[in-house]
Amino acid sequence: MRVLYILDSVNRGGAEMQALDVCRNAHRFGIEMTVVTFGGGALETDFRESGVEFIRLSRKLPVDIYLASQVRKIIRERGIQIAHGYQAVDGLHMYLATRGISGIKNILSFQGFIADRRNRVVSKFLIPRMDANVVASRGLQKWLARTDKLNTKNFAVIYNGADPERLRPSGRSLKRELGLADSSQLFGMIAGFYRDPRKDQLTVCKSLPGAFKKLPAAHCVFAGGIEDGAEGKFADCINFCVEKGITDRVHFLGARADVPDILADLDLFVFSSLQEGLPVAVSEAMLAGVPMVVSDIEPLIEATDNGKYAEVFPVGDEHALSGKIIGLLSDAGRRHELAQSAKQFAEENFSIDSHLRSLADLYDRLISF
């Protein structure tokens, strides 16, 4: 089957990493991919080397009719059967590009909550006009219906999946980079700082003074870039650590491309969040065999099978989180048990093969309908 992925950019976000993993593995499931992006990004080279056709266009306007006509030409020339977008802007140009073309099916994916009114309005317009809508978790589906007032009746739940091959570490040591002893305990969070209420690094920071008192050999790392408009959130974390005198044990790494190497050195993965779809970072940690502690929002509870495969703390509760960190880093047996059971669960539910099996089944059903 011929599938067109439409991406507004190819930055190192969860949706883009998911799309990249799909591109690298789609051929094994009989899917011939073309990727069209409306802008560049940190993952452009990775997409170009993924084995699929990659076309970079340029979006000049919020709604660019000429851009839609370029996408329409690509669809006709390549006999595209499925067009698949990941954001409202992708979906709108996809909808314009496919108007009147017989036989093509449109799919729009929802990876997380919708941050602004304009995208909610566009999403409400697009949802009933799509042949299928894909949502990353049941929890997110409920959120979109309850909070964003979207009609999610024609939604299919397909869990995000990470590629275990991409998660193979190179052998570089983060502990050595930071000048830490091999015996040091290292835990942390891999997530960007966003201006919208998504990730909650500040709660992790607030948990650290109590944790460090009980764990004299422990250090915490934060890996992730800073979105425009989120500088204040990053500054709040830095200022808290300065005020508490713990900057020598907290390491802000910025945006990193070596996530497998970071995961390989973590004794514990912490994911503190306010709102999510089903984050790729959690799938990656589970597949890499790193034990986790996560906040108790619905999609994270769903991702860990009602908390069976991670320790869970109440969202925003730094004291509870501190206790979970101390408990897990003091109990190697519990960490090993959690890591192994979570890895098996993730291989069955959150691997790229699991994701692509579900995706290929949806594509087949739409094409044959």
Side-chain angles (χ1 to χ4, degrees):
M1 67 189 79
R2 292 300 311 266
V3 176
L4 175 69
Y5 262 25
I6 300 176
L7 301 169
D8 190 48
S9 67
V10 285
N11 292 309
R12 199 176 294 277
E16 291 82 6
M17 291 302 302
Q18 177 65 87
L20 178 59
D21 281 350
V22 168
C23 289
R24 287 172 169 165
N25 293 275
H27 65 281
R28 296 191 291 108
F29 292 81
I31 301 172
E32 189 174 352
M33 297 281 301
T34 295
V35 174
V36 167
T37 180
F38 303 158
L43 294 177
E44 182 166 343
T45 299
D46 298 273
F47 272 98
R48 291 189 183 279
E49 295 175 353
S50 68
V52 305
E53 182 183 29
F54 180 87
I55 302 170
R56 179 176 172 179
L57 303 176
S58 179
R59 181 163 66 89
K60 305 292 187 183
L61 300 166
V63 180
D64 193 326
I65 301 301
Y66 176 66
L67 176 63
S69 72
Q70 290 178 292
V71 175
R72 185 180 185 87
K73 182 179 179 182
I74 291 167
I75 289 170
R76 286 190 180 280
E77 288 178 346
R78 287 155 181 79
I80 298 296
Q81 298 167 286
I82 298 282
H84 193 155
Y86 274 82
Q87 298 182 55
V89 67
D90 311 337
L92 184 58
H93 287 86
M94 176 177 70
Y95 172 74
L96 294 173
T98 57
R99 291 290 302 274
I101 300 179
S102 63
I104 191 165
K105 305 295 184 180
N106 286 338
I107 300 175
L108 185 60
S109 279
F110 291 83
Q111 296 289 304
F113 78 105
I114 301 172
D116 59 75
R117 181 180 178 278
R118 181 177 62 182
N119 281 309
R120 281 192 290 273
V121 169
V122 173
S123 296
K124 287 180 179 180
F125 171 80
L126 290 173
I127 286 170
R129 292 167 173 82
M130 295 292 105
D131 295 286
N133 297 278
V134 172
V135 67
S137 66
R138 290 186 294 274
L140 176 59
Q141 183 177 6
K142 293 176 183 177
W143 172 275
L144 293 174
R146 180 176 63 247
T147 305
D148 293 323
K149 309 301 181 185
L150 302 183
N151 182 353
T152 62
K153 292 181 180 178
N154 66 333
F155 275 42
V157 176
I158 297 181
Y159 290 137
N160 289 333
D163 186 354
E165 289 299 313
R166 177 171 59 79
L167 298 175
R168 293 185 183 277
S170 71
R172 292 180 63 246
S173 170
L174 179 61
K175 287 184 178 180
R176 284 197 292 272
E177 176 188 328
L178 298 175
L180 305 180
D182 289 341
S183 58
S184 299
Q185 290 183 306
L186 197 60
F187 65 98
M189 181 169 171
I190 301 173
F193 287 82
Y194 295 98
R195 60 180 176 270
D196 304 317
R198 281 190 258 176
K199 315 306 182 193
D200 183 21
Q201 289 93 341
L202 186 57
T203 291
V204 181
C205 290
K206 290 180 177 179
S207 77
L208 296 180
F212 286 159
K213 285 182 182 178
K214 298 289 186 180
L215 303 165
H219 287 250
C220 180
V221 298
F222 292 92
I226 306 168
E227 185 181 60
D228 290 343
E231 296 85 358
K233 293 184 177 182
F234 179 70
D236 287 343
C237 289
I238 295 287
N239 291 336
F240 179 87
C241 294
V242 170
E243 290 167 5
K244 296 298 181 180
I246 57 175
T247 54
D248 59 328
R249 299 177 66 180
V250 186
H251 310 273
F252 292 91
L253 307 179
R256 301 282 293 229
D258 58 342
V259 168
D261 293 323
I262 295 173
L263 288 171
D265 260 7
L266 289 186
D267 297 288
L268 177 65
F269 180 78
V270 179
F271 204 81
S272 176
S273 189
L274 303 171
Q275 296 169 337
E276 289 293 343
L278 195 144
V280 173
V282 168
S283 302
E284 291 174 343
M286 295 171 82
L287 288 166
V290 184
M292 296 190 306
V293 55
V294 302
S295 48
D296 65 349
I297 61 173
E298 194 167 2
L300 295 182
I301 295 296
E302 185 177 344
T304 58
D305 195 16
N306 202 32
K308 182 178 180 181
Y309 298 111
E311 291 286 351
V312 178
F313 71 98
V315 62
D317 188 336
E318 67 266 25
H319 302 294
L321 174 57
S322 184
K324 296 292 185 181
I325 292 170
I326 293 167
L328 281 171
L329 288 180
S330 302
D331 189 343
R334 174 60 176 158
R335 294 200 308 275
H336 178 76
E337 175 191 350
L338 268 183
Q340 293 306 305
S341 60
K343 184 175 182 179
Q344 182 177 348
F345 179 73
E347 287 171 347
E348 296 170 358
N349 295 278
F350 305 132
S351 69
I352 192 60
D353 281 14
S354 174
H355 178 81
L356 273 165
R357 276 193 295 270
S358 297
L359 204 57
D361 180 64
L362 175 62
Y363 290 166
D364 279 332
R365 285 188 279 111
L366 289 177
I367 289 172
S368 61
F369 182 73

